[in-house]
Amino acid sequence: MSEFENKVFDIWNRFVRNLPCYPEEGCDRWCDGENILCKTNEDAQSVADYIDEKAGASVSATGFYDPEEDKRMGCVDKYTGWYYVTI
């Protein structure tokens, strides 16, 4: 792994270290090990911007688990309705 990749994973690990591993009552963020899940798009964008700023490059991506699409596809689960950040 390159020095840059190590830096990005270090930033990620420091950020997610104290997040719950599943959505808890009243939590606005959680991490499943691969994604940081956020209640709002604004929060997901802020998290992504923070990670990119600390990394010194655009390394994150965001998205949304759309409830209507999940319902249509028959895959409503703990991710439905959450915005995500990944690297």
Side-chain angles (χ1 to χ4, degrees), residues 14-86:
R14 282 185 282 136
F15 193 91
V16 303
R17 168 177 36 218
N18 294 317
L19 293 178
C21 297
Y22 53 88
E24 296 177 349
E25 184 71 30
C27 78
D28 292 332
R29 291 183 191 151
W30 58 284
C31 181
D32 69 355
E34 296 180 21
N35 301 292
I36 297 170
L37 293 301
C38 303
K39 281 262 191 210
T40 67
N41 182 45
E42 293 79 13
D43 190 32
Q45 290 300 320
S46 293
V47 169
D49 290 346
Y50 172 84
I51 291 169
D52 291 348
E53 180 182 326
K54 294 296 180 187
S58 181
V59 295
S60 66
T62 61
F64 179 59
Y65 292 104
D66 187 299
E68 293 300 317
E69 184 177 334
D70 286 3
K71 185 176 180 180
R72 191 171 48 254
M73 300 295 287
C75 61
V76 174
D77 57 17
K78 66 183 179 181
Y79 298 97
T80 301
W82 288 86
Y83 294 84
Y84 66 85
V85 180
T86 191

